């Protein structure tokens, strides 16, 4: 019952403190469509709200963006603690995010208790102060409504939310906040204890400080450490020191000093791991990272190709030096190993006598494993919360216990014992029972996995909230209906099947095209097996688009019939999606480019994830959308015009305005920065409901597909009566392109590509209003695409993008 009431109970939120963290928490709550009151101290210049108002203006310009789109800021009401505390009277949840000072927090809470509703939930976002101690002088009724909610910065992107109860906290009220943050804010809920730095910062701070200790011991450089602690381990590319610059050295120093002080007080066995003096000196010198213009790295202009030149802090010489790219033989070999699980084994078990990388990895990883194992039950009762904290709070691909499983728990423990390293009691308990890992697969439980519970000495199901699911778990439990190298068809239950892409970066090559087409086309066996379909997956990104390498090889070999066949096959796939007799719901997430967009826009509906970076980016490689993307946007332009003036038959100013907007979206390769922007660009419709929690995307999409099927789905039929915008609109678009070219805003090849896009969108150089078919527009796309493939500059763009991962302007 609590879960059912939760979404209704929190209707308005107050955030007290408009610093970097508080303002961004407020921004993300506004992203969820919930009104927010944001208060801070009054300014001394007479304009009392200038501090908080400046914070909101800063949010609109922040990078990465705090808002899904700038219009969301309208949901934030500003004020100050002196004049506007009455504004919190109708707030259901009040979040305190002021300075990490016990007395400041306590003084504010006294005022909050007087101004807030008697049933309002009040929480703190402290990252280090004991939650219970902050409110120890408050009345018992207040303490019942008080606990910790520790967001990670930036709140929009970092999924972790640590919930820290006190002995007096009401579990029912905690459940209300958890439900709201899960469903509306998209957070992964981590249950932490009221211990120093909680879970994420306790493990993460140790890992960073211990890395610095090993760096100094082994005389490695800042750049070498960042090369070693980034993608190779399944950690973010920001690694250690680049991450520190992004977070701020002052923030890191504060957490580190707090960690060291409190670790000594509670008998932490690694209390000697502290922030190095040279780093603390950097903070005193104002070298705070990105926000001060320099930290461990500092920008030094740009090179001839426009790339940033950087210098790096030499910790031994205490000065900046030109940045270089360190090379390690072990890392070069690891680049060929795609799976992180296998890569970790290779890196840890290499030859320490020959490679500095392996020399670093052994103490860095084994000491991390031991430290994490020793924290149970101090900071958490189980390994699951610790692993999830590091994955959702620090963006590690694997948590420390999952990493340990990957490299072999018994093997590493035996080697550590032989080397005289301390062994955690909890790992001894694991191995004493003849077990080989902290986790094991179990298809009989909802999450598909069990973890070793150190308290009972038995394996227990990994907890999973209702509605959380993944294709990977379902595949392990039930297998797949059919698969090839690029895609699988998975039975996800209730008469719904999921088409999952699993090619490299989910590119849409021949395997994917064949699987989708054969599954969804009329007369397929799958249509008799299932009543609805979902297209989604568990990868980082939905799809980066068509397989450019496959296309380029065909172009270079001048196999034009083969290239033409690729385009026809791609069009057949998107048309199979659109005209499938069963409803198809596409659930895009992350990057959804080019052909991925074309798959999505042809579906009966979309169930998008909030973090959606969606765009028809073909023009950036000198091509145009040829999988029906141009066709669909021509139809939408006409429909938008007719919806304004139904008797216009596609003629008039309204049509051109709609057409111009869609032309700019395609020709300029616009990419959304969120689901909101994807909706504005026309990739997502008003009726498509957003999923805020990535872990709920599959379930939400399945429910949507099931609902459409149950309502009596009737597939669309191919249109033969589309009024083409025609020659007048085409001439106007060409004039706009010429103006851009003359103004040197675009290159000659940009203009060539843009004209090809305009030609397709306008239905060719035909009489305005001439009725054409969808197939006619598809043929125009194919002809335009083939023509651009023959252009040398297009071929150069494709090759450059494949090599460098970014577009070439030629």
């Amino acid at each position: 019952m609590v879960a059912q009431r939760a979404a209704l109970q929190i209707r308005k939120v107050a955030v007290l403190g408009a610093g970097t963290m508080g303002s961004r928490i407020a921004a993300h709550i506004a992203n969820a469509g919930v009104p927010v009151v944001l208060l801070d101290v009054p300014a001394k210049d007479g304009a009392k709200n200038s501090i908080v108002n400046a914070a909101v203006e800063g949010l609109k310009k922040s990078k990465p963006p705090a808002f899904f789109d700038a219009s969301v800021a309208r949901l934030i009401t500003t004020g100050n603690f002196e004049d506007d505390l009455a504004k919190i009277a109708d707030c259901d949840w009040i979040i305190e995010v002021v300075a990490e000072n016990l007395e400041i927090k306590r003084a504010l809470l006294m005022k909050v208790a007087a101004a807030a509703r008697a049933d309002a939930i009040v929480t703190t976002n402290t990252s280090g102060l004991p939650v219970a101690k902050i409110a120890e002088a408050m009345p018992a009724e207040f303490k019942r409504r008080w606990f910790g909610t520790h967001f990670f910065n930036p709140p929009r992107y970092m999924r972790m939310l640590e919930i820290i109860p006190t002995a007096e906290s009401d579990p029912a009220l905690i459940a209300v906040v958890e439900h709201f943050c899960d469903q509306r804010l998209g957070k992964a809920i981590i249950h932490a204890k009221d211990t120093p730095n909680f879970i994420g910062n306790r493990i993460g701070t140790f890992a960073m400080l211990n890395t610095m200790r090993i760096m100094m011991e082994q005389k490695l450089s800042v750049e070498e450490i960042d090369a070693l602690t980034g993608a190779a381990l399944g950690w973010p590319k920001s690694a250690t020191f680049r991450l520190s610059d992004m977070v701020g050295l002052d923030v890191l120093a504060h957490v580190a000093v707090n960690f060291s002080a409190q670790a000594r007080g509670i008998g932490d066995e690694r209390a000697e791991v502290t922030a190095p003096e040279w780093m603390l000196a950097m903070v005193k010198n104002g070298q705070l990272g990105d926000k001060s213009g320099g930290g461990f790295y500092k920008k030094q202009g740009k090179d001839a190709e426009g790339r940033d030149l950087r210098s790096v802090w030499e910790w031994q010489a205490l000065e900046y030096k030109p940045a270089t790219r360190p090379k390690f033989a072990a890392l070069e070999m690891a680049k060929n190993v795609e799976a992180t699980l296998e890569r970790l084994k290779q890196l840890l078990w290499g030859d320490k006598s020959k490679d500095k990388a392996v020399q670093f990895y052994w103490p860095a990883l084994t000491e991390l494993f031991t430290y994490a194992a020793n924290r149970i039950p101090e900071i958490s009762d189980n390994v699951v919360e610790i692993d999830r904290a590091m994955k959702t709070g620090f963006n590690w691909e694997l948590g420390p216990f999952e990493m340990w499983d990957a490299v072999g728990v018994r093997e590493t423990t035996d080697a550590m014992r032989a080397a005289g390293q301390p062994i955690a009691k909890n790992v001894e308990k694991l191995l004493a029972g003849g077990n080989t890992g902290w986790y094991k697969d179990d298809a009989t439980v909802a999450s598909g996995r069990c973890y070793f519970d150190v308290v009972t000495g038995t394996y227990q199901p990994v907890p999973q909230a209702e509605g959380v699911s993944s294709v990977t778990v379902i595949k392990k439990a039930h297998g797949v209906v059919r698969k090839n190298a690029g895609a699988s068809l998975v039975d996800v239950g209730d008469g719904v099947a999921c088409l999952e892409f699993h090619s490299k970066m989910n590119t849409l090559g021949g395997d994917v095209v064949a699987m989708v087409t054969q599954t969804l086309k009329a007369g397929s066996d799958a249509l008799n097996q299932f009543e609805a379909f979902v297209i989604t997956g568990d990868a980082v990104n939905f799809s980066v688009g068509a397989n450019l390498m496959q296309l380029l090889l065909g172009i270079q070999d001048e196999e034009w019939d083969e290239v033409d066949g690729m385009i026809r096959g791609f069009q057949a796939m998107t048309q199979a999606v659109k005209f499938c007799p069963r409803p198809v719901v596409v659930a895009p997430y992350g990057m959804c480019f080019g052909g991925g967009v074309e798959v999505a826009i042809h579906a009966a509906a979309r169930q998008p994830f909030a973090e959606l970076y969606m765009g028809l980016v073909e023009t950036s490689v000198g091509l145009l959308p040829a999988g029906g993307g141009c066709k669909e946007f021509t139809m939408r332009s006409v429909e938008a015009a007719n919806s304004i003036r139904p008797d216009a038959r596609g003629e008039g100013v309204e049509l051109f305005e709609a057409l111009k907007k869609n032309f700019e979206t395609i020709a300029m390769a616009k990419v959304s920065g969120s689901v909101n922007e994807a909706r504005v660009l026309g990739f997502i419709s008003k009726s498509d409901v957003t999923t805020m929690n990535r872990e709920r995307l599959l379930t939400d999409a399945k429910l949507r597909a099931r609902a459409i099927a149950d309502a009596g789905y009737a597939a669309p039929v191919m249109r033969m009566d589309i009024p083409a915008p025609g020659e007048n609109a085409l001439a106007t678009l060409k004039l706009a392109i010429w103006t851009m070219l003359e103004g040197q805003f675009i290159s000659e090849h940009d203009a060539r590509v843009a004209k090809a896009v305009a030609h397709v969108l306008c239905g060719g150089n035909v009489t305005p209003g001439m009725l054409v078919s969808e197939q006619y527009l598809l043929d125009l796309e194919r002809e335009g695409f083939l023509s651009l493939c023959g252009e040398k500059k297009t071929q150069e763009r494709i090759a450059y993008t494949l090599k460098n991962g970014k577009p070439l302007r030629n």
Side-chain angles (χ1 to χ4, degrees):
M1 291 300 294
V2 170
Q4 293 174 356
R5 295 195 305 267
L8 297 174
Q9 188 161 347
I10 295 181
R11 301 174 296 272
K12 189 174 183 179
V13 180
V15 177
L16 309 182
T20 300
M21 195 68 196
S23 62
R24 291 192 176 213
I25 290 173
H28 192 52
I29 293 169
N31 284 336
V34 178
V36 189
V37 174
L38 180 62
L39 306 181
D40 208 319
V41 295
K44 298 178 181 178
D45 58 3
K48 287 191 173 182
N49 291 343
S50 61
I51 292 175
V52 68
N53 289 338
V56 174
E57 289 304 310
L59 290 172
K60 296 176 183 177
K61 304 170 187 174
S62 64
K63 292 184 180 180
F67 290 123
F68 284 169
D69 67 83
S71 69
V72 170
R74 73 187 184 281
L75 291 171
I76 298 179
T77 300
T78 59
N80 67 80
F81 297 147
E82 189 175 284
D83 304 308
D84 301 304
L85 267 178
K87 291 181 178 179
I88 72 173
D90 62 344
C91 292
D92 306 299
W93 178 23
I94 300 163
I95 312 171
E96 171 271 303
V97 202
V98 296
E100 291 287 88
N101 180 294
L102 198 58
E103 296 311 314
I104 291 175
K105 289 179 183 290
R106 286 174 170 173
L108 180 60
L109 287 188
M110 294 297 291
K111 296 178 181 179
V112 168
R117 284 203 330 257
D119 62 344
I121 299 169
V122 186
T123 69
T124 178
N125 185 65
T126 182
S127 60
L129 294 175
V131 175
K133 192 172 183 179
I134 296 172
E136 65 182 356
M138 301 300 291
E141 175 55 27
F142 184 92
K143 291 180 182 178
R144 186 182 70 83
R145 300 178 282 115
W146 168 260
F147 51 96
T149 49
H150 182 217
F151 291 81
F152 260 48
N153 195 32
R156 171 182 164 182
Y157 302 94
M158 303 307 291
R159 293 186 53 240
M160 181 169 81
L161 175 68
E162 289 178 311
I163 298 289
I164 308 102
T166 71
E168 294 88 355
S169 302
D170 186 335
L173 298 181
I174 292 175
V176 168
V177 170
E178 287 184 357
H179 183 270
F180 175 82
C181 291
D182 170 355
Q183 301 272 359
R184 300 296 298 276
L185 302 187
K187 295 300 172 186
I189 306 301
I190 307 298
H191 300 97
K193 296 185 178 183
D194 197 2
T195 54
N197 294 122
F198 313 129
I199 296 177
N201 277 338
R202 183 72 173 277
I203 302 296
T205 301
F206 169 78
M208 293 181 78
L209 296 181
N210 200 43
T211 292
M212 293 182 193
R213 182 192 66 78
I214 297 168
M215 174 184 74
M216 293 187 290
E217 185 178 279
Q218 298 185 0
K219 294 181 172 53
L220 297 168
S221 70
V222 164
E223 297 158 289
E224 287 176 322
I225 290 298
D226 275 356
L228 292 167
T229 58
L233 293 179
W235 294 358
K237 292 180 180 179
S238 51
T240 298
F241 292 106
R242 184 71 195 92
L243 174 63
S244 301
D245 278 355
M246 293 165 64
V247 171
L249 270 68
D250 53 340
V251 175
L252 176 61
H254 171 78
V255 174
V257 169
N258 183 64
F259 166 83
S260 301
Q262 297 199 53
R264 286 191 295 271
I266 60 173
D268 187 307
E269 80 280 3
R270 297 304 304 273
E272 89 285 356
V273 178
T274 60
E277 289 299 324
W278 54 264
M279 191 194 89
L280 298 178
M282 291 175 70
V283 175
K284 289 181 180 178
N285 292 336
Q287 297 167 260
L288 307 182
D290 293 349
K291 59 187 171 186
S292 68
F296 292 112
Y297 296 94
K298 184 167 67 173
K299 289 183 180 179
Q300 300 282 57
K302 294 184 180 292
D303 64 12
E305 295 186 16
R307 293 174 298 198
D308 287 334
L309 289 173
R310 295 189 300 170
S311 58
V312 62
W313 187 249
E314 172 51 67
W315 62 270
Q316 291 172 293
L318 301 180
E319 62 182 12
Y320 286 103
K321 67 174 185 178
T324 59
R325 290 189 176 182
K327 297 268 187 185
F328 294 98
L331 292 186
E332 291 303 309
M333 292 176 61
K335 288 180 180 178
N336 300 317
V337 182
E338 188 170 340
T340 301
L341 293 169
E342 295 301 319
R343 195 165 57 246
L344 285 170
K345 290 181 190 176
Q346 183 173 302
L347 292 171
L348 187 68
W349 294 108
D351 189 340
K352 290 195 284 287
S353 67
K354 295 181 180 179
D355 198 306
K356 289 198 300 181
V358 181
Q359 293 169 16
F360 166 79
Y361 282 129
W362 183 262
L365 292 180
T366 58
E367 290 177 26
L368 169 64
F369 298 159
T370 298
Y371 188 79
N374 282 336
R375 303 283 70 78
I376 300 173
E378 180 199 345
I379 65 174
S380 172
D381 289 328
N382 59 67
V383 301
V384 178
E385 299 289 352
I386 293 176
D387 278 349
R388 292 193 77 215
M390 300 317 296
K391 291 190 290 184
T392 60
F394 283 77
N395 279 343
W396 291 7
E397 186 177 334
L398 302 170
F401 295 98
E402 292 171 323
M403 295 174 75
W404 203 348
D405 276 0
V407 298
V409 180
R410 185 172 295 280
E411 294 85 348
T412 53
T413 303
D414 289 345
M416 289 164 64
R417 185 178 286 110
Q421 290 180 240
I423 306 300
K425 290 182 180 179
N426 284 330
V427 75
E428 296 278 28
K429 188 172 185 177
L430 169 75
L431 297 177
N435 304 303
T436 58
W438 295 102
Y439 294 93
K440 66 178 182 180
D441 290 337
D442 187 341
T444 66
V445 302
S447 60
R449 300 176 85 195
C450 288
Y451 72 94
F452 181 75
D453 178 28
V454 299
V455 176
T456 63
T458 62
Y459 283 93
Q460 299 294 323
V462 170
Q464 180 170 282
E466 184 180 353
V468 169
S469 187
S470 74
V471 181
T472 303
V473 169
I474 293 173
K475 284 165 70 173
K476 286 181 180 179
H478 306 293
V480 297
V481 178
R482 64 175 65 92
K483 67 178 293 186
N484 61 28
S488 296
L489 181 67
V490 183
D491 184 345
V492 293
D494 299 322
V496 181
C498 175
L499 278 160
E500 176 205 23
F501 306 151
H502 44 69
S503 56
K504 187 172 183 179
M505 299 185 74
N506 281 354
T507 53
L508 307 179
D511 290 330
V512 174
V513 169
M515 177 64 73
V516 176
T517 306
Q518 291 167 9
T519 300
L520 302 181
K521 69 180 181 180
S524 78
D525 291 339
L527 298 184
N528 295 324
Q529 288 180 265
F530 301 103
E531 298 170 26
F533 295 89
V534 166
I535 302 179
T536 194
D538 297 336
V540 176
N541 298 305
F542 179 76
S543 175
V544 296
N547 189 326
L548 287 178
M549 178 59 76
Q550 192 175 20
L551 174 65
L552 183 60
L553 291 175
I555 293 171
Q556 290 175 336
D557 292 341
E558 297 187 355
E559 295 286 350
W560 299 113
D561 288 344
E562 182 180 322
V563 175
D564 181 69
M566 288 181 194
I567 306 167
R568 291 179 185 273
F570 209 96
Q571 290 181 342
M573 173 185 68
T574 58
Q575 300 319 292
V577 171
K578 181 172 184 176
F579 300 114
C580 179
R582 306 292 194 188
V584 179
V585 173
V586 174
Y589 52 89
M591 294 181 188
C592 179
F593 295 158
V597 176
E598 291 176 307
V599 169
I601 62 178
H602 282 89
R606 286 139 297 279
Q607 184 73 40
F609 175 47
E611 294 300 336
L612 183 59
Y613 317 116
M614 200 171 192
L616 290 166
V617 298
E618 286 86 349
T619 59
S620 64
V621 289
L623 297 168
L624 57 77
C630 291
K631 167 192 66 104
E632 287 296 305
F633 273 86
T634 294
M635 295 171 65
R636 291 174 186 202
S637 299
V638 172
E639 288 164 3
N642 288 344
S643 67
I644 296 169
R645 199 170 67 190
D647 61 340
R649 291 297 298 163
E651 300 175 340
V653 176
E654 297 92 341
L655 171 60
F656 184 74
E657 288 305 314
L659 186 71
K660 178 174 176 289
K661 173 182 176 292
N662 291 331
F663 167 75
E664 291 173 350
T665 294
I666 296 174
M668 297 172 68
K670 291 184 178 181
V671 176
S672 69
S674 69
V675 68
N676 290 27
E677 292 181 5
R679 193 170 274 113
V680 171
L681 292 174
F683 302 130
I684 300 297
S685 69
K686 291 181 180 179
S687 61
D688 294 329
V689 180
T690 299
T691 293
M692 292 291 286
N693 192 323
R694 177 67 180 84
E695 293 180 329
R696 295 183 174 279
L697 188 61
L698 173 61
T699 299
D700 289 352
K702 172 185 166 181
L703 291 172
R704 183 84 188 280
R706 185 68 260 175
I708 295 173
D710 290 342
Y713 179 69
V717 295
M718 181 170 281
R719 287 191 58 182
M720 309 294 290
D721 60 345
I722 305 163
E727 58 190 0
N728 294 345
L730 180 58
T732 306
L733 288 178
K734 285 183 176 179
L735 177 60
I737 295 167
W738 179 85
T739 302
M740 293 288 286
L741 180 62
E742 287 296 298
Q744 298 185 343
F745 295 106
I746 59 176
S747 69
E748 288 189 8
H749 194 55
D750 288 331
R752 164 79 177 88
V753 175
K755 288 177 183 176
V757 171
H759 184 80
V760 178
L761 285 177
C762 294
N765 199 24
V766 298
T767 303
M770 174 180 165
L771 299 182
V772 299
S773 67
E774 289 190 54
Q775 186 58 54
Y776 169 83
L777 294 174
L778 287 171
D779 291 341
L780 284 184
E781 284 184 352
R782 181 171 49 81
E783 292 164 8
F785 189 95
L786 277 169
S787 176
L788 290 171
C789 283
E791 297 275 350
K792 181 180 178 182
K793 288 187 180 294
T794 287
Q795 295 167 22
E796 291 172 352
R797 287 189 180 190
I798 296 173
Y800 184 89
T801 298
L802 286 170
K803 181 180 179 181
N804 300 284
K806 57 184 179 181
L808 170 69
R809 294 298 304 276
N810 59 353

